[in-house]
Amino acid sequence: MILIVDDKPENIFSLRSLLESKSFEVDTALSGEEALKKVLKMDYALIILDVQMPGMDGFEVAEILAGYSKTKEIPIIFLSAVNTDKKFITKGYASGGIDYITKPVDPDILMLKVKTFYRLYEQTLALNEVKRKLQLEVESRKKVQEELKVKVDFFHTVLEAIPQIAFTADSLGEITFVNENWFKYAKTAIDFPEIHDGDTSIDTFYKENIKSGEPFEAEVRIQNVDTKAYRFHLLRIIPVKEGGERNSWVGTFTDIEDQKQIENKKDEFLSIASHELKTPLTSIKAYIQLLERMIVSSGDEKVSTYIHRAQDQIIKLESLIADLLDISKIENGKLKVNCKPFDLESLIVNAIDTISHTHQHVDVRIEREGEPFVDEVNADAIRIEQVLINFLTNAIKYSPGAEKVLVKTERRDSHAYIAVQDFGIGIPKEKQDYVFSKFYRVEESSVKFQGLGIGLYICAEIVRQHKGTYGVNSESGEGTTFYFSIPLN
Ligand code: ADP
């Protein structure tokens, strides 16, 4: 809107008509005082200001307007009867938007100046808006940066507080932060600790995980900078995703040297103990056999019963020692299978017979379902029988009072699939993943049923050696199915 300030209504009238004919909105004031009041209330794009007015004249009005931040930018066109000194006009009014026109007003010149100033006003407004938005943007970015810095500082403090060696890296794997512990094993903040030649190299992470975005985990020996000794650490590097995008990595090295040493000692002990137990047991077995022969000829039934019980216990002890020996073989990578073609069907029938025979004291039937296998398989018969016997023994052991156990067989693609299903206590869902782990026993049943928690671990290793698959399906309280499959040829 344009404000016309003139003490003569007839001047105002003609100017107003002229401007309104060109579609400008117009407001008017008949004195400098009235103009000042209006200017403070309303927003004007331009003021056409008569210089000679009774009371406050045009220059005084302009000087006052120049003093207010709200009004100092409004362009002014002075109307004066005489050619006024420009210097005087500009005094105290530095907006740049100032001009004058002498009376009588030439409508064309006035319109030219009005249009120029109006455009200037609009541009100034637009510019101010851009400036305001930019300022807001700068401020909000500053705030976000400050918040981010607080978060990063907090995160770094956490990484300093943990006992592990910790670091962060950008999306390309360039290290961006390391904690104090890092320097016990690395010379600089950008080089990785020295990893033992025999262990997984950090290059694997850079070659594979950086691209795939998968977490990286490896047990590696790293060299202490001062002592030069290598210690086992668990290295874990995990991608950090923001907004679904992976943009950095966080890594830790956890010292597991003591655990490793204890584990090694335990394996060593297991290996020695099982070997040492085997020799006297073999002698006991031989003596008992001798005794058995002597007793049979003497015909004392009571003694004969006790001898058979002792023999049963010897068989259990033998199988326990054999399992312990297998464990130490697995630890040393020495559990190897000796594959030869054999009749899988007879093996299954024999295993069922053996188990039925040795479990006559429990009322359980072992039933067979599915097609018999006709072809021979190329596998280690003794080891496959060991797996099946283990599954069957467990099926009977963990289903007290149940009437039957099912052995299901089936040819699946190029594999022989064998499953043992029982209707016993079952295994809780959340524990099923662990039953094939070494020494794992389901807590709820571990007191009631005896065992070491190694049978399934050995079975899993045997099946893996045959390049087969294995698993478990179970419902708590309803029963369990353990299955495995091995390639047919
Ligand atoms: P063990 O029977 O000597 O404890 P295993 O390695 O054979 O060791 O089995 C590991 C654990 O898995 C067992 O302790 C038991 O908790 C669970 N388990 C194995 N077979 C069954 C089954 N048929 N039903 C229920 N639980 C089972």
PDB file of all heavy atoms in Angstrom, residues 390 394-395 397-398 422 425-427 435 440-442 445 450-457 480 482, ligand 1:
ATOM      1  N   ASN A 390      22.272 -92.807  19.654  1.00  0.00           N
ATOM      2  CA  ASN A 390      22.180 -91.658  20.558  1.00  0.00           C
ATOM      3  C   ASN A 390      20.778 -91.049  20.548  1.00  0.00           C
ATOM      4  O   ASN A 390      20.190 -90.767  21.600  1.00  0.00           O
ATOM      5  CB  ASN A 390      23.207 -90.621  20.115  1.00  0.00           C
ATOM      6  CG  ASN A 390      23.754 -89.870  21.299  1.00  0.00           C
ATOM      7  OD1 ASN A 390      22.992 -89.375  22.108  1.00  0.00           O
ATOM      8  ND2 ASN A 390      25.066 -89.820  21.406  1.00  0.00           N
ATOM      9  N   ASN A 394      18.244 -91.209  23.782  1.00  0.00           N
ATOM     10  CA  ASN A 394      17.656 -89.971  24.328  1.00  0.00           C
ATOM     11  C   ASN A 394      16.135 -90.025  24.272  1.00  0.00           C
ATOM     12  O   ASN A 394      15.456 -89.614  25.210  1.00  0.00           O
ATOM     13  CB  ASN A 394      18.129 -88.748  23.525  1.00  0.00           C
ATOM     14  CG  ASN A 394      19.497 -88.276  23.970  1.00  0.00           C
ATOM     15  OD1 ASN A 394      20.026 -88.758  24.963  1.00  0.00           O
ATOM     16  ND2 ASN A 394      20.075 -87.343  23.228  1.00  0.00           N
ATOM     17  N   ALA A 395      15.588 -90.531  23.137  1.00  0.00           N
ATOM     18  CA  ALA A 395      14.130 -90.577  22.961  1.00  0.00           C
ATOM     19  C   ALA A 395      13.494 -91.385  24.090  1.00  0.00           C
ATOM     20  O   ALA A 395      12.462 -90.987  24.641  1.00  0.00           O
ATOM     21  CB  ALA A 395      13.789 -91.187  21.606  1.00  0.00           C
ATOM     22  N   LYS A 397      15.058 -92.116  27.048  1.00  0.00           N
ATOM     23  CA  LYS A 397      15.411 -91.511  28.342  1.00  0.00           C
ATOM     24  C   LYS A 397      14.499 -90.327  28.681  1.00  0.00           C
ATOM     25  O   LYS A 397      14.038 -90.206  29.811  1.00  0.00           O
ATOM     26  CB  LYS A 397      16.872 -91.055  28.275  1.00  0.00           C
ATOM     27  CG  LYS A 397      17.381 -90.365  29.517  1.00  0.00           C
ATOM     28  CD  LYS A 397      18.907 -90.390  29.609  1.00  0.00           C
ATOM     29  CE  LYS A 397      19.558 -89.166  29.024  1.00  0.00           C
ATOM     30  NZ  LYS A 397      20.997 -89.113  29.174  1.00  0.00           N
ATOM     31  N   TYR A 398      14.209 -89.483  27.670  1.00  0.00           N
ATOM     32  CA  TYR A 398      13.451 -88.262  27.950  1.00  0.00           C
ATOM     33  C   TYR A 398      11.950 -88.409  27.699  1.00  0.00           C
ATOM     34  O   TYR A 398      11.253 -87.416  27.533  1.00  0.00           O
ATOM     35  CB  TYR A 398      14.031 -87.090  27.140  1.00  0.00           C
ATOM     36  CG  TYR A 398      15.436 -86.738  27.588  1.00  0.00           C
ATOM     37  CD1 TYR A 398      16.549 -87.105  26.839  1.00  0.00           C
ATOM     38  CD2 TYR A 398      15.645 -86.073  28.804  1.00  0.00           C
ATOM     39  CE1 TYR A 398      17.835 -86.818  27.268  1.00  0.00           C
ATOM     40  CE2 TYR A 398      16.938 -85.773  29.235  1.00  0.00           C
ATOM     41  CZ  TYR A 398      18.021 -86.148  28.470  1.00  0.00           C
ATOM     42  OH  TYR A 398      19.288 -85.859  28.917  1.00  0.00           O
ATOM     43  N   ASP A 422       9.804 -88.885  19.684  1.00  0.00           N
ATOM     44  CA  ASP A 422       9.293 -89.423  20.956  1.00  0.00           C
ATOM     45  C   ASP A 422       8.116 -88.582  21.419  1.00  0.00           C
ATOM     46  O   ASP A 422       7.821 -87.536  20.857  1.00  0.00           O
ATOM     47  CB  ASP A 422      10.407 -89.475  22.015  1.00  0.00           C
ATOM     48  CG  ASP A 422      10.890 -88.103  22.437  1.00  0.00           C
ATOM     49  OD1 ASP A 422      10.073 -87.278  22.865  1.00  0.00           O
ATOM     50  OD2 ASP A 422      12.123 -87.842  22.317  1.00  0.00           O
ATOM     51  N   ILE A 425       9.013 -85.422  27.284  1.00  0.00           N
ATOM     52  CA  ILE A 425       8.932 -84.134  27.993  1.00  0.00           C
ATOM     53  C   ILE A 425       9.093 -82.933  27.048  1.00  0.00           C
ATOM     54  O   ILE A 425       8.701 -81.835  27.384  1.00  0.00           O
ATOM     55  CB  ILE A 425       9.992 -84.053  29.109  1.00  0.00           C
ATOM     56  CG1 ILE A 425      11.410 -84.203  28.524  1.00  0.00           C
ATOM     57  CG2 ILE A 425       9.756 -85.119  30.169  1.00  0.00           C
ATOM     58  CD1 ILE A 425      12.514 -83.861  29.515  1.00  0.00           C
ATOM     59  N   GLY A 426       9.679 -83.136  25.884  1.00  0.00           N
ATOM     60  CA  GLY A 426       9.870 -82.038  24.935  1.00  0.00           C
ATOM     61  C   GLY A 426      10.972 -81.086  25.383  1.00  0.00           C
ATOM     62  O   GLY A 426      11.537 -81.220  26.468  1.00  0.00           O
ATOM     63  N   ILE A 427      11.249 -80.107  24.513  1.00  0.00           N
ATOM     64  CA  ILE A 427      12.306 -79.117  24.817  1.00  0.00           C
ATOM     65  C   ILE A 427      11.716 -77.727  24.587  1.00  0.00           C
ATOM     66  O   ILE A 427      11.147 -77.467  23.517  1.00  0.00           O
ATOM     67  CB  ILE A 427      13.533 -79.313  23.891  1.00  0.00           C
ATOM     68  CG1 ILE A 427      14.077 -80.743  24.037  1.00  0.00           C
ATOM     69  CG2 ILE A 427      14.618 -78.296  24.186  1.00  0.00           C
ATOM     70  CD1 ILE A 427      15.107 -81.113  22.989  1.00  0.00           C
ATOM     71  N   VAL A 435      20.784 -77.294  22.046  1.00  0.00           N
ATOM     72  CA  VAL A 435      20.961 -78.695  22.459  1.00  0.00           C
ATOM     73  C   VAL A 435      22.127 -79.403  21.766  1.00  0.00           C
ATOM     74  O   VAL A 435      22.621 -80.391  22.276  1.00  0.00           O
ATOM     75  CB  VAL A 435      19.667 -79.537  22.295  1.00  0.00           C
ATOM     76  CG1 VAL A 435      18.622 -79.130  23.306  1.00  0.00           C
ATOM     77  CG2 VAL A 435      19.147 -79.488  20.895  1.00  0.00           C
ATOM     78  N   TYR A 440      25.851 -78.812  26.832  1.00  0.00           N
ATOM     79  CA  TYR A 440      24.569 -78.154  27.110  1.00  0.00           C
ATOM     80  C   TYR A 440      23.529 -79.177  27.555  1.00  0.00           C
ATOM     81  O   TYR A 440      23.350 -80.216  26.927  1.00  0.00           O
ATOM     82  CB  TYR A 440      24.055 -77.402  25.872  1.00  0.00           C
ATOM     83  CG  TYR A 440      22.784 -76.651  26.190  1.00  0.00           C
ATOM     84  CD1 TYR A 440      22.826 -75.410  26.808  1.00  0.00           C
ATOM     85  CD2 TYR A 440      21.533 -77.221  25.933  1.00  0.00           C
ATOM     86  CE1 TYR A 440      21.669 -74.746  27.154  1.00  0.00           C
ATOM     87  CE2 TYR A 440      20.375 -76.567  26.274  1.00  0.00           C
ATOM     88  CZ  TYR A 440      20.446 -75.323  26.880  1.00  0.00           C
ATOM     89  OH  TYR A 440      19.289 -74.670  27.231  1.00  0.00           O
ATOM     90  N   ARG A 441      22.841 -78.865  28.636  1.00  0.00           N
ATOM     91  CA  ARG A 441      21.734 -79.702  29.097  1.00  0.00           C
ATOM     92  C   ARG A 441      20.577 -78.770  29.424  1.00  0.00           C
ATOM     93  O   ARG A 441      20.778 -77.704  29.989  1.00  0.00           O
ATOM     94  CB  ARG A 441      22.109 -80.491  30.353  1.00  0.00           C
ATOM     95  CG  ARG A 441      23.402 -81.318  30.179  1.00  0.00           C
ATOM     96  CD  ARG A 441      23.470 -82.449  31.180  1.00  0.00           C
ATOM     97  NE  ARG A 441      22.464 -83.449  30.869  1.00  0.00           N
ATOM     98  CZ  ARG A 441      21.725 -84.082  31.776  1.00  0.00           C
ATOM     99  NH1 ARG A 441      21.868 -83.800  33.049  1.00  0.00           N
ATOM    100  NH2 ARG A 441      20.830 -84.974  31.403  1.00  0.00           N
ATOM    101  N   VAL A 442      19.363 -79.173  29.079  1.00  0.00           N
ATOM    102  CA  VAL A 442      18.200 -78.325  29.389  1.00  0.00           C
ATOM    103  C   VAL A 442      18.012 -78.342  30.901  1.00  0.00           C
ATOM    104  O   VAL A 442      17.899 -79.414  31.504  1.00  0.00           O
ATOM    105  CB  VAL A 442      16.942 -78.835  28.654  1.00  0.00           C
ATOM    106  CG1 VAL A 442      15.721 -78.024  29.069  1.00  0.00           C
ATOM    107  CG2 VAL A 442      17.144 -78.786  27.155  1.00  0.00           C
ATOM    108  N   SER A 445      15.303 -80.347  32.958  1.00  0.00           N
ATOM    109  CA  SER A 445      15.346 -81.808  33.036  1.00  0.00           C
ATOM    110  C   SER A 445      16.677 -82.346  33.545  1.00  0.00           C
ATOM    111  O   SER A 445      16.841 -83.533  33.766  1.00  0.00           O
ATOM    112  CB  SER A 445      15.042 -82.389  31.650  1.00  0.00           C
ATOM    113  OG  SER A 445      15.893 -81.806  30.707  1.00  0.00           O
ATOM    114  N   GLN A 450      20.077 -88.252  34.079  1.00  0.00           N
ATOM    115  CA  GLN A 450      21.538 -88.162  34.132  1.00  0.00           C
ATOM    116  C   GLN A 450      22.131 -87.966  32.738  1.00  0.00           C
ATOM    117  O   GLN A 450      21.556 -88.420  31.752  1.00  0.00           O
ATOM    118  CB  GLN A 450      22.094 -89.457  34.710  1.00  0.00           C
ATOM    119  CG  GLN A 450      21.952 -89.488  36.223  1.00  0.00           C
ATOM    120  CD  GLN A 450      22.592 -90.724  36.808  1.00  0.00           C
ATOM    121  OE1 GLN A 450      22.885 -91.672  36.088  1.00  0.00           O
ATOM    122  NE2 GLN A 450      22.813 -90.712  38.102  1.00  0.00           N
ATOM    123  N   GLY A 451      23.263 -87.329  32.676  1.00  0.00           N
ATOM    124  CA  GLY A 451      23.911 -87.161  31.376  1.00  0.00           C
ATOM    125  C   GLY A 451      24.997 -86.115  31.450  1.00  0.00           C
ATOM    126  O   GLY A 451      25.121 -85.400  32.450  1.00  0.00           O
ATOM    127  N   LEU A 452      25.802 -86.033  30.387  1.00  0.00           N
ATOM    128  CA  LEU A 452      26.904 -85.072  30.369  1.00  0.00           C
ATOM    129  C   LEU A 452      26.667 -83.928  29.381  1.00  0.00           C
ATOM    130  O   LEU A 452      27.397 -82.957  29.363  1.00  0.00           O
ATOM    131  CB  LEU A 452      28.207 -85.776  29.962  1.00  0.00           C
ATOM    132  CG  LEU A 452      28.893 -86.650  31.002  1.00  0.00           C
ATOM    133  CD1 LEU A 452      30.184 -87.195  30.434  1.00  0.00           C
ATOM    134  CD2 LEU A 452      29.202 -85.832  32.253  1.00  0.00           C
ATOM    135  N   GLY A 453      25.666 -84.090  28.523  1.00  0.00           N
ATOM    136  CA  GLY A 453      25.404 -83.040  27.540  1.00  0.00           C
ATOM    137  C   GLY A 453      26.407 -83.042  26.402  1.00  0.00           C
ATOM    138  O   GLY A 453      26.738 -81.981  25.850  1.00  0.00           O
ATOM    139  N   ILE A 454      26.928 -84.218  26.030  1.00  0.00           N
ATOM    140  CA  ILE A 454      27.896 -84.243  24.927  1.00  0.00           C
ATOM    141  C   ILE A 454      27.443 -85.096  23.740  1.00  0.00           C
ATOM    142  O   ILE A 454      27.985 -84.975  22.643  1.00  0.00           O
ATOM    143  CB  ILE A 454      29.306 -84.695  25.381  1.00  0.00           C
ATOM    144  CG1 ILE A 454      29.221 -86.006  26.150  1.00  0.00           C
ATOM    145  CG2 ILE A 454      29.988 -83.630  26.190  1.00  0.00           C
ATOM    146  CD1 ILE A 454      30.589 -86.533  26.598  1.00  0.00           C
ATOM    147  N   GLY A 455      26.427 -85.963  23.977  1.00  0.00           N
ATOM    148  CA  GLY A 455      26.003 -86.888  22.920  1.00  0.00           C
ATOM    149  C   GLY A 455      25.599 -86.169  21.641  1.00  0.00           C
ATOM    150  O   GLY A 455      26.091 -86.470  20.544  1.00  0.00           O
ATOM    151  N   LEU A 456      24.725 -85.179  21.774  1.00  0.00           N
ATOM    152  CA  LEU A 456      24.221 -84.485  20.576  1.00  0.00           C
ATOM    153  C   LEU A 456      25.314 -83.661  19.900  1.00  0.00           C
ATOM    154  O   LEU A 456      25.328 -83.510  18.681  1.00  0.00           O
ATOM    155  CB  LEU A 456      23.030 -83.586  20.946  1.00  0.00           C
ATOM    156  CG  LEU A 456      21.749 -84.321  21.346  1.00  0.00           C
ATOM    157  CD1 LEU A 456      20.667 -83.331  21.748  1.00  0.00           C
ATOM    158  CD2 LEU A 456      21.240 -85.179  20.182  1.00  0.00           C
ATOM    159  N   TYR A 457      26.224 -83.138  20.725  1.00  0.00           N
ATOM    160  CA  TYR A 457      27.344 -82.364  20.178  1.00  0.00           C
ATOM    161  C   TYR A 457      28.184 -83.256  19.247  1.00  0.00           C
ATOM    162  O   TYR A 457      28.558 -82.849  18.139  1.00  0.00           O
ATOM    163  CB  TYR A 457      28.184 -81.841  21.349  1.00  0.00           C
ATOM    164  CG  TYR A 457      29.479 -81.172  20.973  1.00  0.00           C
ATOM    165  CD1 TYR A 457      29.490 -79.936  20.329  1.00  0.00           C
ATOM    166  CD2 TYR A 457      30.705 -81.763  21.276  1.00  0.00           C
ATOM    167  CE1 TYR A 457      30.684 -79.319  19.997  1.00  0.00           C
ATOM    168  CE2 TYR A 457      31.905 -81.150  20.953  1.00  0.00           C
ATOM    169  CZ  TYR A 457      31.891 -79.929  20.315  1.00  0.00           C
ATOM    170  OH  TYR A 457      33.073 -79.318  19.987  1.00  0.00           O
ATOM    171  N   THR A 480       9.445 -84.796  21.104  1.00  0.00           N
ATOM    172  CA  THR A 480      10.561 -84.225  20.338  1.00  0.00           C
ATOM    173  C   THR A 480      10.883 -85.097  19.129  1.00  0.00           C
ATOM    174  O   THR A 480      10.764 -86.316  19.205  1.00  0.00           O
ATOM    175  CB  THR A 480      11.826 -84.188  21.240  1.00  0.00           C
ATOM    176  OG1 THR A 480      11.495 -83.518  22.450  1.00  0.00           O
ATOM    177  CG2 THR A 480      12.983 -83.486  20.579  1.00  0.00           C
ATOM    178  N   PHE A 482      14.155 -85.618  16.688  1.00  0.00           N
ATOM    179  CA  PHE A 482      15.519 -85.304  16.252  1.00  0.00           C
ATOM    180  C   PHE A 482      15.708 -85.943  14.886  1.00  0.00           C
ATOM    181  O   PHE A 482      15.263 -87.077  14.668  1.00  0.00           O
ATOM    182  CB  PHE A 482      16.553 -85.881  17.224  1.00  0.00           C
ATOM    183  CG  PHE A 482      16.802 -84.983  18.404  1.00  0.00           C
ATOM    184  CD1 PHE A 482      16.153 -85.196  19.612  1.00  0.00           C
ATOM    185  CD2 PHE A 482      17.678 -83.920  18.301  1.00  0.00           C
ATOM    186  CE1 PHE A 482      16.373 -84.363  20.698  1.00  0.00           C
ATOM    187  CE2 PHE A 482      17.906 -83.071  19.387  1.00  0.00           C
ATOM    188  CZ  PHE A 482      17.256 -83.298  20.586  1.00  0.00           C
TER     189      PHE A 482
HETATM  190  P1  ADP B   1      22.657 -85.830  27.715  1.00  0.00           P
HETATM  191  O1  ADP B   1      21.420 -86.560  27.332  1.00  0.00           O
HETATM  192  O2  ADP B   1      23.753 -86.727  28.126  1.00  0.00           O
HETATM  193  O3  ADP B   1      22.409 -84.737  28.690  1.00  0.00           O
HETATM  194  P2  ADP B   1      22.757 -84.954  24.948  1.00  0.00           P
HETATM  195  O4  ADP B   1      23.824 -84.165  24.243  1.00  0.00           O
HETATM  196  O5  ADP B   1      22.377 -86.236  24.354  1.00  0.00           O
HETATM  197  O6  ADP B   1      23.251 -85.099  26.435  1.00  0.00           O
HETATM  198  O7  ADP B   1      21.488 -84.021  25.021  1.00  0.00           O
HETATM  199  C1  ADP B   1      21.612 -82.687  25.404  1.00  0.00           C
HETATM  200  C2  ADP B   1      20.368 -82.203  26.116  1.00  0.00           C
HETATM  201  O8  ADP B   1      19.283 -82.129  25.173  1.00  0.00           O
HETATM  202  C3  ADP B   1      19.865 -83.133  27.185  1.00  0.00           C
HETATM  203  O9  ADP B   1      20.482 -82.861  28.430  1.00  0.00           O
HETATM  204  C4  ADP B   1      18.388 -82.832  27.237  1.00  0.00           C
HETATM  205  O10 ADP B   1      18.159 -81.722  28.043  1.00  0.00           O
HETATM  206  C5  ADP B   1      18.060 -82.482  25.790  1.00  0.00           C
HETATM  207  N1  ADP B   1      17.490 -83.606  25.041  1.00  0.00           N
HETATM  208  C6  ADP B   1      18.139 -84.451  24.216  1.00  0.00           C
HETATM  209  N2  ADP B   1      17.290 -85.336  23.666  1.00  0.00           N
HETATM  210  C7  ADP B   1      16.058 -85.042  24.147  1.00  0.00           C
HETATM  211  C8  ADP B   1      14.738 -85.579  23.937  1.00  0.00           C
HETATM  212  N3  ADP B   1      14.541 -86.620  23.129  1.00  0.00           N
HETATM  213  N4  ADP B   1      13.723 -85.015  24.614  1.00  0.00           N
HETATM  214  C9  ADP B   1      13.924 -83.970  25.435  1.00  0.00           C
HETATM  215  N5  ADP B   1      15.134 -83.416  25.668  1.00  0.00           N
HETATM  216  C10 ADP B   1      16.191 -83.937  25.033  1.00  0.00           C
END
